[in-house]
Amino acid sequence: MMEDTLAEIDTKAEPIKRILVPQRWITVFTIFFCLFNAFSMRVCLSIAITKMVAQVGHQVKFANDTCPNRHNITTATDTNQINATSQTNQLFDWSEYTQGVILSSFYWTYAVTNIVGGIIVQKLGGKHTLGFGILFTAILTLLTPASIMWGDSTALICVRVLMGLGEGSTYPALNMLLSQWVPPNERSKAGAVAFAGAPFGTIFSMSISGLILQNVHNGWPFVFYFFGCVGIVAFLINYAFCYNKPSENPYISEAESAYLNEKLKNTETDPPPTPWLCIITSKPVWALMIVTIGTAWAFTIISTDMPKYMSGVLKFSAKENGYFSSMPYLAMWIFSFIASFTADSVIAKERMSITRVRKVAVTLSVMGPGIFTVVASYAGCNGVLFVILMTIGMAFKGCAYCSTMVNALDLAPNYAGALMGLVNGIGTFSGIFSPYFVGILTPNQTISEWRLIFWTIFFVCTGSNIIYLIFGSGDVQDWNSPTASNKKQDADDVDPKEVIQLLSTK
């Protein structure tokens, strides 16, 4: 009787196990939400800082190089007025240089921990590395307002440095998860969904931050409280639904498991130690690192400093700033799906090689923003035209999700976490210097000062794109395969005496 009952329960439980949505796509959507929150917590300061700092009024000599104040934005023309404003409205007298240091401080440790995170994720797997990084960042986001009230800009810089530690392992972890879960013929689509968390999180962060700042008096602390709470929710979702690899997932169907085993032949579940010497001497890896530096330079300036341009130069209100700053990322997010599905279709139908698809997509993703940011700098005080041009440029950036963001999976699926950590870590050095660079070159927040910034974006993007076109690749590298590496090592270790004896015999 008992055996019949258990058999009946098992029979009923089997359909529950066969969930309609494939488990690999549940993993992809979980990664999306974690990356969404990582960028939300990172970017919210870029909007909040526009209402945390008393803006310095322009001198008369810059009158022809600035835009009119359309919304009576609070400005101050001397130190006494700034101090008075700070006491009454909780504003801080942080110079453009100080703001640049604050915005760049996140990347001081983020760049390094990308590389370290790549090593950690090879040992611990993607789930816990990703989840606890998000949790750590969420707690620090919640503590941000209290730290500022206690220690001013110095304390904020310290918090941002620690946040960089927490988020540094994000990309290595999610690349490791994708390499274990997503077959090559689905990587462009899966990458578009997973990596879309970055622009979508930026859109959400900028829009919600603008609404909070516009509707809540002295509302900047609530920006950090809101996104900190959402970050904790992301950690819980990751803990509940994410698994390091298919063999650990109790809900995966036999059909999906067999499909992944067949399609992921080049991916080892427990690969040998990372071949660092092969990686750092690989031309395609260096090409990927350099083009990542170019894209990161453009993306960091646009995502981190563009709200300051819209507030300080174009004189947008907080609500307008949030909406208009997010529009380029909405276009980027939408276009990423179009580009990624097109890329997968072209690869599946063998109309173009993976290498050529990656190079075409890289060119669009790098040169689109590079060209249109320069054109936008000549829009002057026409805010609508500026936003339109920036939106078109950032739409092309969506091609990065089927090129630079998945290229590490192409080159070495077995070491995707370590490779992405290295590539993203090196590329992230742009985030250290670009906000500092902007703060130095835009002390007066004038149009001509910012135009120089936009031209640097163009030249950096152009140079990095040329290098990738020459040396980039979408082929699996020999050192990805432990067997190939061992054969190569055995060939290198042949005894010269054996060779001489073989030749003399012939």
Side-chain angles (χ1 to χ4, degrees):
M1 184 69 177
M2 180 64 70
E3 293 179 355
D4 293 339
T5 304
L6 291 175
E8 184 179 353
I9 292 174
D10 287 341
T11 303
K12 292 180 179 179
E14 184 62 25
I16 298 176
K17 187 175 181 179
R18 292 195 291 267
I19 299 175
L20 292 178
V21 180
Q23 289 300 307
R24 63 185 182 279
W25 284 101
I26 291 178
T27 302
V28 169
F29 285 119
T30 303
I31 293 171
F32 163 85
F33 192 60
C34 287
L35 190 59
F36 166 90
N37 280 275
F39 269 77
S40 294
M41 293 184 288
R42 181 192 310 186
V43 171
C44 65
L45 176 63
S46 299
I47 294 290
I49 201 170
T50 64
K51 287 300 182 181
M52 295 167 65
V53 179
Q55 297 181 22
V56 179
H58 297 289
Q59 301 175 18
V60 177
K61 67 178 181 179
F62 298 117
N64 295 327
D65 204 14
T66 60
C67 298
N69 192 336
R70 299 178 294 117
H71 295 282
N72 296 319
I73 296 175
T74 302
T75 61
T77 56
D78 56 61
T79 304
N80 292 334
Q81 189 172 344
I82 291 176
N83 291 336
T85 306
S86 300
Q87 293 174 1
T88 57
N89 293 326
Q90 286 187 296
L91 300 181
F92 303 93
D93 56 337
W94 299 337
S95 66
E96 292 296 327
Y97 171 81
T98 302
Q99 293 177 56
V101 173
I102 291 171
L103 293 172
S104 71
S105 58
F106 172 90
Y107 298 96
W108 297 353
T109 49
Y110 179 76
V112 177
T113 50
N114 259 270
I115 301 173
V116 177
I119 298 173
I120 294 174
V121 76
Q122 293 288 148
K123 301 291 185 182
L124 302 181
K127 171 179 179 174
H128 299 299
T129 309
L130 178 63
F132 284 107
I134 295 294
L135 178 63
F136 184 66
T137 307
I139 293 171
L140 289 170
T141 302
L142 290 170
L143 294 176
T144 296
S147 67
I148 296 173
M149 294 301 181
W150 172 71
D152 204 74
S153 61
T154 302
L156 177 56
I157 290 171
C158 292
V159 169
R160 297 289 291 183
V161 167
L162 292 174
M163 287 178 66
L165 283 174
E167 288 199 15
S169 59
T170 301
Y171 275 110
L174 67 86
N175 266 271
M176 175 58 73
L177 288 169
L178 290 176
S179 71
Q180 296 290 338
W181 277 97
V182 180
N185 61 310
E186 296 180 2
R187 280 177 186 160
S188 294
K189 294 191 288 287
V193 174
F195 291 117
F200 198 77
T202 303
I203 295 166
F204 183 73
S205 180
M206 289 183 169
S207 301
I208 297 300
S209 297
L211 284 174
I212 293 174
L213 294 172
Q214 187 76 13
N215 295 291
V216 180
H217 179 65
N218 290 330
W220 64 264
F222 294 94
V223 171
F224 299 101
Y225 297 147
F226 176 81
F227 288 106
C229 290
V230 177
I232 291 177
V233 173
F235 164 74
L236 296 175
I237 290 176
N238 173 78
Y239 185 81
F241 296 104
C242 188
Y243 294 88
N244 285 320
K245 45 196 173 184
S247 60
E248 296 180 3
N249 190 320
Y251 305 106
I252 191 169
S253 66
E254 293 183 2
E256 184 179 9
S257 180
Y259 171 75
L260 293 178
N261 286 335
E262 172 65 24
K263 293 294 184 179
L264 295 172
K265 292 179 179 178
N266 288 327
T267 304
E268 300 284 339
T269 55
D270 295 300
T274 306
W276 287 110
L277 182 60
C278 294
I279 289 175
I280 63 177
T281 56
S282 170
K283 290 180 181 179
V285 171
W286 275 99
L288 179 57
M289 284 194 291
I290 291 171
V291 80
T292 301
I293 291 173
T295 57
W297 181 266
F299 186 81
T300 304
I301 290 179
I302 294 171
S303 64
T304 303
D305 293 289
M306 200 51 56
K308 290 173 58 182
Y309 181 86
M310 291 187 176
S311 175
V313 177
L314 298 179
K315 303 298 191 298
F316 285 155
S317 67
K319 185 177 180 180
E320 290 174 335
N321 200 346
Y323 286 145
F324 289 142
S325 294
S326 65
M327 284 182 63
Y329 302 97
L330 179 60
M332 174 182 168
W333 178 59
I334 294 172
F335 195 70
S336 69
F337 285 99
I338 299 173
S340 297
F341 276 79
T342 302
D344 270 351
S345 175
V346 169
I347 292 172
K349 295 177 182 179
E350 298 183 350
R351 293 179 178 176
M352 293 174 65
S353 66
I354 294 177
T355 296
R356 182 161 293 185
V357 169
R358 300 302 184 228
K359 288 185 176 182
V360 171
V362 163
T363 301
L364 292 174
S365 70
V366 175
M367 296 310 301
I371 293 171
F372 278 92
T373 50
V374 170
V375 176
S377 71
Y378 290 92
C381 295
N382 189 333
V384 174
L385 179 59
F386 176 85
V387 172
I388 290 173
L389 291 170
M390 290 298 297
T391 300
I392 295 172
M394 287 301 288
F396 285 103
K397 182 69 171 64
C399 293
Y401 295 100
C402 59
S403 56
T404 53
M405 303 304 291
V406 296
N407 197 199
L409 299 175
D410 297 326
L411 300 177
N414 283 329
Y415 306 103
L419 184 55
M420 189 60 181
L422 176 65
V423 170
N424 201 50
I426 298 297
T428 301
F429 277 100
S430 295
I432 295 175
F433 297 109
S434 56
Y436 176 80
F437 180 74
V438 171
I440 292 279
L441 295 186
T442 60
N444 302 296
Q445 291 291 297
T446 63
I447 295 173
S448 59
E449 289 174 347
W450 275 93
R451 186 171 294 146
L452 179 60
I453 299 297
F454 295 141
W455 271 107
T456 65
I457 291 176
F458 173 78
F459 287 119
V460 171
C461 287
T462 301
S464 62
N465 183 59
I466 291 172
I467 291 173
Y468 187 84
L469 288 177
I470 298 172
F471 299 108
S473 176
D475 298 328
V476 177
Q477 301 300 292
D478 291 339
W479 42 266
N480 172 71
S481 172
T483 304
S485 298
N486 291 336
K487 287 182 179 179
K488 183 178 183 302
Q489 183 65 39
D490 291 342
D492 293 339
D493 292 342
V494 171
D495 190 342
K497 293 181 181 180
E498 295 179 2
V499 177
I500 295 172
Q501 183 178 0
L502 180 62
L503 292 174
S504 62
T505 303
K506 289 186 177 181

